[in-house]
Amino acid sequence: LTRLKKPMELSWATGQPPKGWNSTCEVIAPVVRDLRLPHVVLFMSVFTGPLFGNRRSAVRESWLSNLPAGTDYRFMIGAPADISLAPVMQRELELYGDIVRLAVPDVYANLDRKALACLQYVLATFNFDYHVKIDDDIFADIRGIMRWLETAPPERAYMGGFWGGSYEFLAVHKQSNTPCFVSGPAYFLSQDVVAHVLLMNPVRERE
């Protein structure tokens, strides 16, 4: 994975959570897979915004242009603040068929809700082994990632960074103590972790 020419080191974290991580549940229940759903080893949710059609085109023409077997993807977009963009997005969806329109406003303050709505869609639509959330300004070596996944633990798997807080979180949630949270550019979750995240954090309206 590369963002602005800076490589991301890949390593699995399946043991103790990092310092500052508040775990509300010690045990992750096993996932009952729906075998009626299409199976993929890796499902990729590419986070993008209503205004970033040029980025989506660049991604389609580069690392998404020759995907290996066992992979699938969708671009994840929330509801645009400017309703005039809706017809443009609909035409792009009809042309490529690779856009999921999530029922949350697509603004920075709603990234948590967008992430949960994305996981909800993926779990209901695909029988996947691993899910990666990835931004539209990331270049991904998917074949290299697929080789790397051969060594990945099948359950309780997370790969990504952690942050201890941000001014955006402080501004939105009006808290002086920010919890540890996952880093947004890209992170991997095994299917059981996706199900557990949704169990512990159902999608709700912002109060």
Side-chain angles (χ1 to χ4, degrees):
L1 300 172
T2 305
R3 187 176 198 174
L4 302 178
K5 300 182 180 180
K6 182 179 180 181
M8 177 183 290
E9 294 183 3
L10 303 181
S11 61
W12 290 103
T14 56
Q16 294 297 316
K19 185 178 181 181
W21 182 260
N22 181 21
S23 177
T24 57
C25 184
E26 293 281 333
V27 179
I28 296 179
V31 171
V32 179
R33 291 176 178 263
D34 189 342
L35 300 181
R36 297 168 297 178
L37 299 176
H39 175 258
V40 293
V41 175
L42 176 65
F43 186 85
M44 298 163 284
S45 294
V46 185
F47 269 41
T48 184
L51 293 172
F52 298 145
N54 59 332
R55 292 188 183 181
R56 293 190 289 277
S57 294
V59 170
R60 290 188 189 101
E61 294 170 5
S62 56
W63 60 270
L64 285 180
S65 63
N66 187 25
L67 291 178
T71 63
D72 206 343
Y73 78 96
R74 296 292 186 275
F75 287 101
M76 300 291 173
I77 305 180
D82 183 354
I83 61 173
S84 68
L85 294 173
V88 178
M89 292 170 54
Q90 181 61 32
R91 287 194 294 271
E92 186 179 352
L93 171 59
E94 293 171 355
L95 179 62
Y96 295 103
D98 61 358
I99 292 176
V100 174
R101 294 187 295 183
L102 303 170
V104 296
D106 205 308
V107 294
Y108 195 88
N110 273 332
L111 277 180
D112 55 342
R113 294 174 58 205
K114 184 176 180 179
L116 291 172
C118 166
L119 294 182
Q120 194 173 57
Y121 164 84
V122 175
L123 195 63
T125 310
F126 290 89
N127 174 19
F128 59 95
D129 298 335
Y130 303 96
H131 171 260
V132 59
K133 178 268 181 187
I134 187 167
D135 285 347
D136 61 3
D137 59 352
I138 296 281
F139 184 90
D141 176 7
I142 298 303
R143 295 182 184 279
I145 289 173
M146 291 295 284
R147 291 192 297 271
W148 171 67
L149 287 176
E150 294 175 2
T151 67
E155 297 177 339
R156 298 176 62 88
Y158 166 79
M159 192 289 293
F162 290 93
W163 291 87
S166 72
Y167 69 90
E168 290 93 347
F169 190 98
L170 287 169
V172 172
H173 298 275
K174 298 180 175 61
Q175 296 184 17
S176 58
N177 263 334
T178 60
C180 187
F181 57 90
V182 300
S183 176
Y187 53 83
F188 292 77
L189 304 171
S190 54
Q191 191 187 73
D192 61 319
V193 176
V194 170
H196 181 69
V197 168
L198 288 172
L199 178 66
M200 302 303 294
N201 301 275
V203 180
R204 297 190 180 98
E205 291 296 322
R206 176 79 70 211
E207 295 180 356

